[in-house]
């Protein structure tokens, strides 16, 4: 029997609540941890799981704005190149004598400018899809990074800078605390503000949103600028963790980020999905990689597993829709 609680004009269904994709992610996450425990005796300890977050949370910052972008029905494949360019400029400035705090601020500024350029190009050239625009800027940003450093590495950062990637506040990694704060801000932004409701409206019907008074061009520029900013935040943490930087850093991050977002249940058609799903997917994929890495599972096997999970994430909502359409109406 399906329990329903009437709240206003809308009925709450426990069955519908537990059939949400996020609960499936929780079950998969539990299964992954059980599997990892059986594979390695070193996996299941507080220190092991705590330190594992440092290895994958840097790219998780980009996941947060990527959720907004994909709900809009767009995509940004230039984020990894923004990470590289921001990191390279920061290192180059510091090695040229610029104080490290100022170089870090400029790093964030570079990300903001790159994201703003992406958004501006997308709204000014409506005949071009966001894939084409960000593909072009991906090549440009990475190319500038190579011009600045060629194929060299830059580093020799001050010792305190390593705290971003490897530091603790009590027993908790600093990067985990910062990510939790950023995630809370984006959850509120998407699900509790007018800004978030407008993003969903634009993802469902851009034309109707425009005629209803939503300034869709400005909204897109803001969202892509946020993506650039969070890519620069990733650059700070990634560079701190590595201790140096090169023009090829973060290669492939854009695919990892998009995979996390899609696995989190965000519809690539736009207009659907929740931030919590993408956050769950970050930790699911992160701990899956960490556990399999402890037993030296080939990277190709991990790619196969991730591919299967993505297929399930894309197909399950369509299967649910088709099954509900076949039910006779009462």
């Amino acid at each position: 029997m399906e329990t329903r609680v009437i709240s206003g004009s809308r009925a709450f269904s426990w069955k519908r609540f537990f059939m949400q994709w996020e609960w499936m992610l929780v079950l998969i996450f539990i299964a992954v941890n059980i599997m990892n425990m059986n594979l390695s005796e070193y996996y299941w300890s507080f220190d092991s799981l705590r330190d594992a977050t440092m290895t994958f949370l840097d790219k998780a910052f980009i996941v947060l704005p990527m959720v907004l972008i994909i709900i809009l029905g767009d995509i940004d494949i230039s984020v990894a190149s923004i990470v590289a360019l921001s990191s390279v400029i920061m290192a180059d400035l510091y090695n040229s004598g610029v104080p490290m705090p100022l170089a870090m601020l400029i790093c964030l500024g570079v990300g903001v400018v790159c994201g703003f350029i992406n958004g501006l190009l997308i709204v000014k050239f409506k005949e071009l899809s966001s894939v084409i625009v960000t593909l072009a800027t991906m090549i440009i940003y990475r190319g500038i990074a190579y011009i600045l450093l060629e194929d060299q590495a830059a580093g020799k950062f001050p010792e305190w800078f390593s705290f971003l990637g490897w530091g603790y506040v009590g027993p908790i990694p600093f990067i985990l605390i910062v990510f939790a704060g950023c995630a809370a801000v984006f959850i509120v932004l998407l699900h509790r503000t007018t800004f978030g409701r407008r993003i969903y409206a634009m993802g469902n019907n851009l034309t109707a949103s425009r005629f209803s008074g939503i300034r869709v061009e400005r909204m897109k520029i803001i969202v892509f600028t946020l993506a650039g900013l969070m890519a620069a935040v990733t650059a700070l943490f990634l560079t701190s963790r590595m201790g140096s930087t090169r023009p090829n850093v973060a290669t492939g991050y854009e695919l990892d980020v998009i995979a996390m977002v899609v696995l989190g249940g965000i519809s690539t058609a736009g207009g659907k999905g929740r931030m919590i799903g993408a956050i769950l997917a970050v930790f699911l994929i992160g701990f899956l990689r960490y556990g399999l890495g402890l037993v030296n599972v080939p990277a190709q096997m991990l790619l196969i597993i991730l591919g299967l999970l993505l297929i399930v994430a894309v197909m399950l909502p369509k299967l649910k829709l088709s099954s509900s359409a076949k039910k006779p109406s009462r």
Side-chain angles (χ1 to χ4, degrees):
M1 176 180 289
E2 184 176 355
T3 303
R4 292 178 181 271
V5 179
I6 306 299
S7 176
S9 59
R10 187 174 182 179
F12 176 81
S13 168
W14 284 107
K15 180 180 178 181
R16 185 171 61 245
F17 176 74
F18 284 107
M19 284 298 291
Q20 296 177 97
W21 176 246
E22 287 78 7
W23 286 109
M24 183 65 68
L25 288 176
V26 171
L27 293 177
I28 297 174
F29 181 76
I30 294 172
V32 164
N33 280 279
I34 293 174
M35 178 190 70
N36 287 341
M37 287 171 57
N38 293 324
L39 289 175
S40 174
E41 60 181 2
Y42 301 104
Y43 177 79
W44 195 252
S45 69
F46 176 77
D47 290 342
S48 176
L49 296 178
R50 176 195 64 186
D51 295 343
T53 60
M54 298 181 180
T55 64
F56 62 81
L57 276 184
D58 49 8
K59 69 184 69 172
F61 290 99
I62 314 176
V63 171
L64 303 174
M66 189 64 75
V67 169
L68 307 184
I69 290 174
I70 294 184
I71 288 178
L72 281 176
D74 290 312
I75 201 166
D76 186 349
I77 58 176
S78 71
V79 286
S81 295
I82 296 177
V83 173
L85 180 59
S86 302
S87 177
V88 164
I89 288 179
M90 176 180 65
D92 195 41
L93 288 174
Y94 174 71
N95 291 334
S96 300
V98 175
M100 192 63 195
L102 179 57
M104 293 168 65
L105 287 176
I106 294 174
C107 171
L108 297 176
V110 170
V112 169
V113 170
C114 291
F116 177 80
I117 291 173
N118 284 345
L120 189 64
L121 291 174
I122 288 169
V123 300
K124 291 298 182 181
F125 299 95
K126 297 180 176 64
E127 67 277 7
L128 298 178
S129 68
S130 57
V131 176
I132 301 300
V133 172
T134 56
L135 174 62
T137 55
M138 176 185 74
I139 298 170
I140 293 171
Y141 298 153
R142 185 77 69 173
I144 296 173
Y146 271 103
I147 290 173
L148 292 174
L149 275 188
E150 295 180 348
D151 201 22
Q152 305 298 315
K156 299 180 181 179
F157 300 111
E159 290 185 7
W160 60 262
F161 182 63
S162 63
F163 179 81
L164 271 68
W166 298 110
Y168 295 89
V169 177
I172 309 300
F174 178 69
I175 188 173
L176 180 58
I177 295 173
V178 176
F179 175 72
C182 292
V185 170
F186 273 86
I187 288 173
V188 172
L189 182 66
L190 180 60
H191 299 295
R192 292 291 184 268
T193 66
T194 303
F195 182 85
R197 289 191 291 272
R198 288 174 178 172
I199 287 177
Y200 280 110
M202 291 170 60
N204 282 300
N205 194 318
L206 187 63
T207 303
S209 298
R210 181 179 286 110
F211 282 109
S212 66
I214 297 176
R215 300 179 66 176
V216 296
E217 287 80 10
R218 186 176 69 174
M219 290 285 293
K220 285 196 174 189
I221 291 176
I222 292 174
V223 170
F224 277 90
T225 302
L226 280 175
L229 173 62
M230 298 311 290
V233 172
T234 292
L236 290 177
F237 283 99
L238 178 61
T239 308
S240 171
R241 183 163 61 86
M242 295 174 58
S244 64
T245 188
R246 301 177 70 95
N248 63 349
V249 296
T251 299
Y253 267 32
E254 66 279 352
L255 298 180
D256 287 345
V257 167
I258 294 170
M260 291 172 180
V261 174
V262 173
L263 181 60
I266 312 301
S267 173
T268 53
K272 295 180 182 178
R274 285 183 286 270
M275 186 68 69
I276 188 63
I279 294 172
L280 285 170
V282 167
F283 286 91
L284 192 160
I285 294 177
F287 284 122
L288 176 64
R289 281 182 167 160
Y290 176 71
L292 295 181
L294 289 177
V295 291
N296 296 319
V297 172
Q300 293 81 358
M301 181 61 67
L302 177 61
L303 292 176
I304 293 173
I305 295 173
L306 292 179
L308 292 174
L309 287 175
L310 288 176
I311 291 173
V312 172
V314 173
M315 290 182 60
L316 189 62
K318 295 183 179 180
L319 292 175
K320 288 172 63 178
L321 287 174
S322 61
S323 63
S324 61
K326 291 179 181 179
K327 292 182 180 179
S329 58
R330 296 181 178 179

